[in-house]
Amino acid sequence: MDAAGLQHGRLTGLAPKGQALVDAGEVAQQISLDTAREARLVAEAAVDRVRDKYGPDVIGHAAAFRRAS
C-alpha cells in the first residue's frame, strides 16, 4: 500500500480487472501472487526431474533416514 501511495485505513477493497485475456496454454508462465505456492511448485518440479533421472526411490521421506550426527 505504501508503494502505491495509498493511505492505510482508507482502502476497503481492491479488484483486479482483466482485459484481453488469453488461454493459460498460450502463455509462457502463469503469474501467481502466492510465493509459498510458487516455491512448492519449483521444489516439486526439481524432485520430479531427480526421480526421472535416478529412479523413483532416490528421494524419500526425511523421517525414514537416520540422523547424520
Side-chain angles (χ1 to χ4, degrees):
M1 290 182 57
D2 291 335
L6 302 173
Q7 294 178 358
H8 293 280
R10 302 263 182 181
L11 184 66
T12 60
L14 183 65
K17 182 177 179 182
Q19 296 177 331
L21 300 175
V22 296
D23 186 36
E26 297 178 24
V27 297
Q29 181 177 0
Q30 187 169 349
I31 297 172
S32 173
L33 300 176
D34 186 355
T35 56
R37 180 179 181 274
E38 291 299 315
R40 286 191 306 270
L41 292 175
V42 169
E44 182 179 337
V47 168
D48 288 343
R49 286 192 306 272
V50 170
R51 284 185 173 149
D52 287 344
K53 186 172 183 175
Y54 298 106
D57 297 329
V58 71
I59 297 177
H61 297 286
F65 294 99
R66 61 181 175 84
R67 292 182 62 106
S69 56

